[in-house]
Amino acid sequence: MAGLLSRILRRPAETRALDYETFGRFFGIAQTPGAGHVSPRLAENLATVTACVGAVSSVMASLPAYVYRRAPGGRTELYDHPVARLVRRPNSHQSWPDLVEWLMAQALLHGNALAEIQYDGAGRATALVPVPWPLVSVVALPSGRIAYDIAPVNGPRRRLLEGEVFHLRDRSDDGIVGRSRISRAPEVLGIAISANTAVNKLYSGGLRTQGFIEAPNILTDAQRTDAEGWAGRIREAMQHGRLPLLEGGFRFNNASLSPEDAELLESRRFSVEELCRLFQVPPPIVQDLSHGTFTNSREAGRWFAQFSLAPWARKIEAEFERSVFGASSADCLLELDMSGLMRADAEARWQSHKIAVDAGILDADEIREIEGWNPRGQAAGA
C-alpha cells in the first residue's frame, strides 16, 4: 500500500539501479587520458567500430526466427501465436530484421537495448516499440522491482515496469543494467581516435613537411621582420604543393617524422585489431585482411558465428522467454535459427543436407521443404 501511494504521489523511496563513477557512464560515455570523453557517437566515427557493430547487428538480423511450444515428445512450431505474429511484424514502422538490427546496435554501443511491449485487451503482446536508451532512466523500487522512466524528446515522462519491456543487455556489473564495451575500455578507443586525429592533421596540411629555416648569420630586427613576412608566403606555397624559393643562404631543415618513421600506420592497424577484440569480431569479418588467407578467413566466419553471434542469440531467446512470453506462455520459446548463416554458402548447406540424409535424420522431401521447394511430384501451387 505504501509503495502504491508513493508511486501515485511521486514520492519515493527509490534508488538508482546503478552506481558508476559518473552519470555519463550510464550512457556509455567514458573519459580517456588522450581523447577526452568517448561516447557511442564519437566511437562510431571509427570505421572499425561501425564495421564491427554493423557486422554483428546485420547478421543477427538475418537469422530466421521461429516460435515453438515445448512438449514431452518434442516441440511444435506455432504459426499463429501472438509472438510469431510479432516476428512477422513487430511494430507499425519496422520489420523484424530492422528491429533486431536496432536492438543489437543499441546493446553494443550503449550496453542496453529497450523495447516497450504493447498488449491488447486480452494481455497478448501486439507490438515491440523501440525506446532509445539515452531517453531511459532505471530505478529500483522499494518493492525490489525495476522501473524504467522514459523521458521522450516530445511528450510527458512515463514509467514502465520490468514486465512491460524487452531489455537486452551486455555484460552487467550490477545484474540490472548492462555496461557498454566503450565505457569498459575507453583507452582503446581513445588511442584509435588520437591516431585518427593525427592522420587528419597530417592530411589536412596537404602532407607538407614541417621543419625550420636556418639563416646564414644572426639577423637584425629589420631582417627578422622581413624574414617572418616571406616565411608566411613560403608556408602558404608549401600548403598548396608549390616549391618555395629560399634566397640569401637560407636553408630548410626537416624537423618532422614521416608516417612510417612514427609508425603511425602500424599504430592504426593495431587499433583495428584491438577494436575487433573489444567487440569479439574476427578482423577478416570487417575487411581487415592484412593477415588473412582464404582458409583462415573461412574459419573466421565459423568463429564469428560460434563466439560472437551465438551468445547474443541465446540472450535474445532468453529475454523473450522472460518478458514477451511471460508466465502465461512458459512452455513457449523463440529460436533464432543459426543455420540461416549458411544461406549464402551453398556448398556447406548441401553438404550438411547430404550428411543429414545419409544419417537418416532427414529425407529428401524434408530437405526440399527447408530449401523452400515443394515435395517431389507436387506441382507448385497445388
Side-chain angles (χ1 to χ4, degrees):
M1 184 67 177
L4 177 61
L5 290 175
S6 173
R7 183 176 176 185
I8 294 174
L9 299 175
R10 301 292 183 193
R11 285 196 193 152
E14 300 170 352
T15 58
R16 298 295 305 179
L18 70 164
D19 184 20
Y20 296 148
E21 293 177 5
T22 63
F23 183 73
R25 187 171 295 183
F26 175 70
F27 298 107
I29 302 172
Q31 189 170 11
T32 69
H37 287 84
V38 177
S39 66
R41 184 178 295 275
L42 185 60
E44 280 201 287
N45 281 328
L46 297 171
T48 306
V49 173
T50 301
C52 288
V53 172
V56 176
S57 59
S58 60
V59 176
M60 287 296 300
S62 72
L63 298 179
Y66 303 101
V67 176
Y68 296 100
R69 172 170 282 119
R70 301 181 185 90
R75 62 183 187 178
T76 304
E77 185 177 355
L78 304 177
Y79 297 98
D80 295 325
H81 192 279
V83 178
R85 291 195 288 270
L86 279 183
V87 170
R88 293 192 290 270
R89 186 178 176 84
N91 56 61
S92 60
H93 55 275
Q94 282 183 309
S95 65
W96 174 256
D98 288 335
L99 176 64
V100 174
E101 186 177 42
W102 181 88
L103 289 169
M104 287 304 311
Q106 287 270 301
L108 289 168
L109 291 170
H110 297 274
N112 300 270
L114 199 74
E116 179 183 357
I117 307 171
Q118 295 183 348
Y119 300 92
D120 60 15
R124 295 169 296 197
T126 58
L128 285 172
V129 180
V131 180
W133 186 252
L135 304 181
V136 180
S137 178
V138 181
V139 296
L141 302 176
S143 63
R145 300 184 70 186
I146 303 302
Y148 300 81
D149 289 337
I150 301 172
V153 177
N154 297 316
R157 292 175 61 92
R158 56 199 182 96
R159 169 167 290 182
L160 299 174
L161 299 178
E162 55 188 339
E164 300 172 317
V165 297
F166 173 92
H167 183 186
L168 180 66
R169 47 176 79 79
D170 207 341
R171 183 164 63 90
S172 174
D173 288 342
D174 58 8
I176 298 173
V177 176
R179 185 170 168 190
S180 73
R181 303 176 186 208
I182 293 172
S183 68
R184 287 192 183 279
E187 292 186 19
V188 173
L189 286 101
I191 291 172
I193 291 171
S194 296
N196 266 12
T197 302
V199 171
N200 287 338
K201 288 181 178 179
L202 187 66
Y203 279 86
S204 64
L207 294 176
R208 67 180 184 275
T209 305
Q210 301 294 330
F212 62 90
I213 298 174
E214 180 182 351
N217 48 46
I218 298 176
L219 303 179
T220 65
D221 290 343
Q223 290 173 327
R224 188 180 303 277
T225 301
D226 291 340
E228 289 176 352
W230 57 256
R233 293 192 292 274
I234 291 174
R235 188 181 303 110
E236 182 180 357
M238 294 174 65
Q239 288 177 342
H240 290 83
R242 299 195 299 268
L243 292 175
L245 176 64
L246 299 179
E247 300 179 276
F250 286 92
R251 293 190 302 172
F252 182 83
N253 293 287
N254 188 2
S256 65
L257 297 175
S258 67
E260 291 77 13
D261 292 335
E263 296 186 352
L264 182 57
L265 299 180
E266 186 63 31
S267 174
R268 296 190 75 197
R269 186 176 297 113
F270 178 72
S271 293
V272 170
E273 296 175 3
E274 285 285 271
L275 292 171
C276 285
R277 292 188 186 102
L278 183 62
F279 288 95
Q280 292 182 290
V281 175
I285 300 298
V286 293
Q287 290 81 51
D288 177 16
L289 302 176
S290 54
H291 304 294
T293 64
F294 175 79
T295 301
N296 63 20
S297 295
R298 189 167 186 175
E299 287 302 315
R302 296 178 182 176
W303 194 101
F304 182 55
Q306 184 174 357
F307 296 104
S308 301
L309 303 181
W312 281 111
R314 184 66 193 104
K315 281 194 173 193
I316 292 175
E317 293 166 351
E319 180 60 17
F320 259 85
E321 291 187 49
R322 183 202 70 83
S323 59
V324 182
F325 287 110
S328 60
S329 299
D331 59 340
C332 297
L333 73 151
L334 176 86
E335 180 179 294
L336 297 177
D337 187 3
M338 298 291 292
S339 67
L341 295 175
M342 292 195 300
R343 183 174 182 177
D345 191 342
E347 181 182 357
R349 193 171 71 250
W350 284 102
Q351 283 180 348
S352 67
H353 290 338
K354 184 178 186 304
I355 293 172
V357 171
D358 292 344
I361 300 171
L362 297 173
D363 61 29
D365 282 340
E366 288 172 324
I367 289 177
R368 292 176 66 88
E369 181 181 359
I370 292 172
E371 291 294 322
W373 300 340
N374 291 326
R376 287 179 295 185
Q378 179 178 327

